[in-house]
Amino acid sequence: MGGHREAAGLEEGGLLGNDAPLHTLQRRLIGNRFSRLAVYVWADRISSVANAMIDEWVADGHVDLYDRFTRLFPATVFGYVMGLDEKHAGKVREF
């Protein structure tokens, strides 16, 4: 598999690409990090990440939304929520 399916986490071994019982186990391991309360706590940081990305696009004068937002933003936010520091959070999509 590759392309958009892989980027969306549908590759073999990814959370969205697995069926129960593996999917259930993976979801239980990270589920509390994405509860309504957890997301509320992270709202300011998530907005800050999005705003910083948009500022970069304005400075560049153009943007490829797929490469610079659709792929990068969720991976970066996921990294922060999972406890990675700023230096490493954006690298989640490489894994």
PDB file of all heavy atoms in Angstrom, residues 49-59 69:
ATOM      1  N   VAL A  49      -0.148  25.623  16.963  1.00  0.00           N
ATOM      2  CA  VAL A  49       0.515  24.858  15.898  1.00  0.00           C
ATOM      3  C   VAL A  49      -0.056  25.251  14.535  1.00  0.00           C
ATOM      4  O   VAL A  49       0.685  25.523  13.587  1.00  0.00           O
ATOM      5  CB  VAL A  49       0.361  23.333  16.129  1.00  0.00           C
ATOM      6  CG1 VAL A  49       0.804  22.537  14.907  1.00  0.00           C
ATOM      7  CG2 VAL A  49       1.147  22.902  17.359  1.00  0.00           C
ATOM      8  N   ALA A  50      -1.380  25.300  14.433  1.00  0.00           N
ATOM      9  CA  ALA A  50      -2.023  25.669  13.164  1.00  0.00           C
ATOM     10  C   ALA A  50      -1.640  27.084  12.753  1.00  0.00           C
ATOM     11  O   ALA A  50      -1.309  27.338  11.586  1.00  0.00           O
ATOM     12  CB  ALA A  50      -3.536  25.534  13.283  1.00  0.00           C
ATOM     13  N   ASN A  51      -1.660  28.015  13.693  1.00  0.00           N
ATOM     14  CA  ASN A  51      -1.320  29.400  13.379  1.00  0.00           C
ATOM     15  C   ASN A  51       0.130  29.539  12.930  1.00  0.00           C
ATOM     16  O   ASN A  51       0.428  30.301  12.008  1.00  0.00           O
ATOM     17  CB  ASN A  51      -1.600  30.313  14.568  1.00  0.00           C
ATOM     18  CG  ASN A  51      -3.073  30.499  14.794  1.00  0.00           C
ATOM     19  OD1 ASN A  51      -3.885  30.432  13.871  1.00  0.00           O
ATOM     20  ND2 ASN A  51      -3.452  30.731  16.046  1.00  0.00           N
ATOM     21  N   ALA A  52       1.041  28.817  13.556  1.00  0.00           N
ATOM     22  CA  ALA A  52       2.446  28.867  13.156  1.00  0.00           C
ATOM     23  C   ALA A  52       2.619  28.332  11.730  1.00  0.00           C
ATOM     24  O   ALA A  52       3.393  28.900  10.936  1.00  0.00           O
ATOM     25  CB  ALA A  52       3.305  28.066  14.134  1.00  0.00           C
ATOM     26  N   MET A  53       1.896  27.274  11.393  1.00  0.00           N
ATOM     27  CA  MET A  53       1.969  26.730  10.037  1.00  0.00           C
ATOM     28  C   MET A  53       1.452  27.746   9.025  1.00  0.00           C
ATOM     29  O   MET A  53       2.063  27.969   7.976  1.00  0.00           O
ATOM     30  CB  MET A  53       1.188  25.425   9.933  1.00  0.00           C
ATOM     31  CG  MET A  53       1.834  24.283  10.637  1.00  0.00           C
ATOM     32  SD  MET A  53       0.825  22.796  10.466  1.00  0.00           S
ATOM     33  CE  MET A  53       1.888  21.618  11.258  1.00  0.00           C
ATOM     34  N   ILE A  54       0.335  28.370   9.338  1.00  0.00           N
ATOM     35  CA  ILE A  54      -0.255  29.367   8.430  1.00  0.00           C
ATOM     36  C   ILE A  54       0.691  30.554   8.260  1.00  0.00           C
ATOM     37  O   ILE A  54       0.873  31.062   7.149  1.00  0.00           O
ATOM     38  CB  ILE A  54      -1.644  29.796   8.938  1.00  0.00           C
ATOM     39  CG1 ILE A  54      -2.614  28.627   8.822  1.00  0.00           C
ATOM     40  CG2 ILE A  54      -2.148  31.020   8.168  1.00  0.00           C
ATOM     41  CD1 ILE A  54      -3.927  28.816   9.558  1.00  0.00           C
ATOM     42  N   ASP A  55       1.339  30.980   9.338  1.00  0.00           N
ATOM     43  CA  ASP A  55       2.309  32.073   9.239  1.00  0.00           C
ATOM     44  C   ASP A  55       3.448  31.726   8.284  1.00  0.00           C
ATOM     45  O   ASP A  55       3.915  32.587   7.529  1.00  0.00           O
ATOM     46  CB  ASP A  55       2.869  32.421  10.617  1.00  0.00           C
ATOM     47  CG  ASP A  55       1.854  33.095  11.525  1.00  0.00           C
ATOM     48  OD1 ASP A  55       0.807  33.561  11.026  1.00  0.00           O
ATOM     49  OD2 ASP A  55       2.108  33.124  12.750  1.00  0.00           O
ATOM     50  N   GLU A  56       3.891  30.475   8.305  1.00  0.00           N
ATOM     51  CA  GLU A  56       4.940  30.041   7.375  1.00  0.00           C
ATOM     52  C   GLU A  56       4.460  30.133   5.934  1.00  0.00           C
ATOM     53  O   GLU A  56       5.209  30.549   5.052  1.00  0.00           O
ATOM     54  CB  GLU A  56       5.370  28.611   7.681  1.00  0.00           C
ATOM     55  CG  GLU A  56       6.196  28.465   8.923  1.00  0.00           C
ATOM     56  CD  GLU A  56       6.580  27.014   9.191  1.00  0.00           C
ATOM     57  OE1 GLU A  56       6.534  26.191   8.250  1.00  0.00           O
ATOM     58  OE2 GLU A  56       6.918  26.721  10.342  1.00  0.00           O
ATOM     59  N   TRP A  57       3.222  29.745   5.678  1.00  0.00           N
ATOM     60  CA  TRP A  57       2.689  29.797   4.312  1.00  0.00           C
ATOM     61  C   TRP A  57       2.608  31.236   3.822  1.00  0.00           C
ATOM     62  O   TRP A  57       2.922  31.523   2.670  1.00  0.00           O
ATOM     63  CB  TRP A  57       1.318  29.177   4.215  1.00  0.00           C
ATOM     64  CG  TRP A  57       1.189  27.813   4.798  1.00  0.00           C
ATOM     65  CD1 TRP A  57       2.190  26.898   5.018  1.00  0.00           C
ATOM     66  CD2 TRP A  57      -0.005  27.209   5.261  1.00  0.00           C
ATOM     67  NE1 TRP A  57       1.690  25.770   5.584  1.00  0.00           N
ATOM     68  CE2 TRP A  57       0.327  25.938   5.746  1.00  0.00           C
ATOM     69  CE3 TRP A  57      -1.324  27.628   5.322  1.00  0.00           C
ATOM     70  CZ2 TRP A  57      -0.615  25.064   6.259  1.00  0.00           C
ATOM     71  CZ3 TRP A  57      -2.266  26.760   5.839  1.00  0.00           C
ATOM     72  CH2 TRP A  57      -1.913  25.491   6.299  1.00  0.00           C
ATOM     73  N   VAL A  58       2.163  32.132   4.697  1.00  0.00           N
ATOM     74  CA  VAL A  58       2.064  33.534   4.318  1.00  0.00           C
ATOM     75  C   VAL A  58       3.448  34.062   3.965  1.00  0.00           C
ATOM     76  O   VAL A  58       3.632  34.739   2.954  1.00  0.00           O
ATOM     77  CB  VAL A  58       1.412  34.367   5.452  1.00  0.00           C
ATOM     78  CG1 VAL A  58       1.515  35.854   5.171  1.00  0.00           C
ATOM     79  CG2 VAL A  58      -0.037  33.940   5.648  1.00  0.00           C
ATOM     80  N   ALA A  59       4.437  33.716   4.761  1.00  0.00           N
ATOM     81  CA  ALA A  59       5.803  34.159   4.501  1.00  0.00           C
ATOM     82  C   ALA A  59       6.323  33.597   3.178  1.00  0.00           C
ATOM     83  O   ALA A  59       7.037  34.279   2.442  1.00  0.00           O
ATOM     84  CB  ALA A  59       6.720  33.747   5.655  1.00  0.00           C
ATOM     85  N   PHE A  69      -0.063  20.697   5.422  1.00  0.00           N
ATOM     86  CA  PHE A  69      -1.082  20.739   6.469  1.00  0.00           C
ATOM     87  C   PHE A  69      -1.732  19.386   6.682  1.00  0.00           C
ATOM     88  O   PHE A  69      -1.684  18.837   7.776  1.00  0.00           O
ATOM     89  CB  PHE A  69      -2.154  21.795   6.183  1.00  0.00           C
ATOM     90  CG  PHE A  69      -3.095  21.972   7.340  1.00  0.00           C
ATOM     91  CD1 PHE A  69      -2.704  22.692   8.445  1.00  0.00           C
ATOM     92  CD2 PHE A  69      -4.347  21.399   7.331  1.00  0.00           C
ATOM     93  CE1 PHE A  69      -3.549  22.841   9.539  1.00  0.00           C
ATOM     94  CE2 PHE A  69      -5.202  21.534   8.413  1.00  0.00           C
ATOM     95  CZ  PHE A  69      -4.799  22.268   9.521  1.00  0.00           C
TER      96      PHE A  69
END
